[in-house]
Amino acid sequence: MKSIGVFDSGVGGLTVVKELIRQLPNENIVYFGDTARVPYGIKSPETVIRFSIENILFLLKQDVKLICVACNTASSFALPVIKNYFRAPIIGVITPGVREAVYASQNKRIGVIGTKGTIKSRTYEIEIKQLDPKAKVVTASCPLFVPFVEEGWLSGEVVLNVARDYLKPLKAAGVDTVILGCTHYPLLKPVIQQILGKDVTLIDSAKQVACEVKKILVSEDLLNRGKGGNNSFYVSDNPEWFSGLAQRFLGRQLKNVRKVNNV
Ligand code: DGL
């Protein structure tokens, strides 16, 4: 029985896995977290593209039928380049989030936050403009958010002050919709919402990504008809660290995270 392959630079892609499990409980999932080479958010496009190709090749060896790039940085830099290299369908996290944001925004002022790499690539901006040329897009990188989330700093004065500073340009532009363009940011939703105000819609693309995966599996007749739900988790380093953080991202503990050396 073929599986859905998911990869991320580390642990953040588990937010997407959580949604996939919720929407597609009969599917098997193989997850790869590139914990030996995380973070991707500060690396060059060439490096992120090379890592992404290696991760995809690893997943293809696990007999997957579809690949989900559950990392915004990899989706921004690598997906436009590599999506046609492989026969298996490859879904990223950008397009589903863009679609939802364009649909949600009333005033056509959309904010995007992400890693330095994601923001520098301008992929979100380009895709939003393609859907709605009149939209005004304001972006900001928030590099301290990833370590905050991984260290469990999800609230408190320090986090609020940093977030206030990062989000200043978005607030000044009067955006009514903000894409949380990084796997980790949904965990900081309460802080981000507090600063931007309750009327701003925060877009967490995981739900839309899972919908998109489902749509493709249906249209390509790839849905698992038997009983699935067998999920495997691989990392390139430090399985204990990954297991420890899984609770925060996936909402449950993970045993049997396997370390692989061949990526
Ligand atoms: N997974 C990355 C992303 O969504 C964040 C962590 C990293 O920088 O590797 O962009």
Side-chain angles (χ1 to χ4, degrees), residues 8-10 12-13 38-42 70-74 115 118 146 150 181-184:
D8 175 42
S9 55
V38 69
Y40 283 11
I42 51 166
C71 171
N72 287 262
T73 311
T115 63
T118 296
V146 167
E150 292 186 357
C182 173
T183 48
H184 290 54

Side-chain angles (χ1 to χ4, degrees), residues 10-208:
V11 71
L14 291 177
T15 50
V16 175
V17 170
K18 191 173 170 187
E19 255 324 296
L20 285 171
I21 293 173
R22 207 179 63 81
Q23 293 192 33
L24 293 159
N26 289 332
E27 295 297 327
N28 298 326
I29 296 170
V30 179
Y31 182 91
F32 176 71
D34 197 5
T35 48
R37 306 189 288 197
V38 69
Y40 283 11
I42 51 166
K43 305 233 161 47
S44 68
E46 302 74 49
T47 299
V48 175
I49 291 168
R50 176 162 58 83
F51 290 173
S52 300
I53 292 173
E54 287 167 3
N55 300 343
I56 289 171
L57 291 174
F58 168 77
L59 287 173
L60 288 173
K61 276 191 231 147
Q62 315 308 312
D63 203 22
V64 298
K65 55 187 172 186
L66 174 148
I67 288 168
C68 177
V69 184
C71 171
N72 287 262
T73 311
S75 296
S76 304
F77 279 147
L79 205 61
V81 184
I82 60 170
K83 66 171 182 260
N84 298 321
Y85 285 11
F86 301 94
R87 213 171 312 146
I90 305 182
I91 314 280
V93 287
I94 310 284
T95 314
V98 164
R99 230 183 271 138
E100 202 189 347
V102 169
Y103 178 74
S105 177
Q106 302 285 317
N107 71 5
K108 300 295 162 208
R109 280 181 229 159
I110 299 173
V112 180
I113 53 175
T115 63
K116 284 188 173 175
T118 296
I119 298 306
K120 208 165 153 211
S121 76
R122 303 188 63 218
T123 309
Y124 270 112
E125 227 170 313
I126 294 164
E127 289 211 15
I128 292 170
K129 295 270 192 197
Q130 269 165 3
L131 265 193
D132 183 354
K134 289 207 192 91
K136 179 174 161 53
V137 184
V138 186
T139 64
S141 63
C142 307
L144 287 172
F145 281 2
V146 167
F148 277 153
V149 171
E150 292 186 357
E151 291 300 319
W153 290 41
L154 306 183
S155 60
E157 266 318 294
V158 175
V159 185
L160 267 169
N161 283 336
V162 170
R164 200 171 286 122
D165 200 60
Y166 282 154
L167 299 172
K168 238 181 230 158
L170 276 66
K171 242 184 123 88
V175 297
D176 71 351
T177 305
V178 172
I179 299 179
L180 305 176
C182 173
T183 48
H184 290 54
Y185 298 0
L187 282 90
L188 288 172
K189 235 177 181 173
V191 168
I192 297 169
Q193 194 85 68
Q194 186 179 333
I195 287 163
L196 293 175
K198 63 173 178 15
D199 294 334
V200 172
T201 308
L202 301 182
I203 307 287
D204 160 5
S205 56
K207 267 197 195 87
Q208 297 307 318

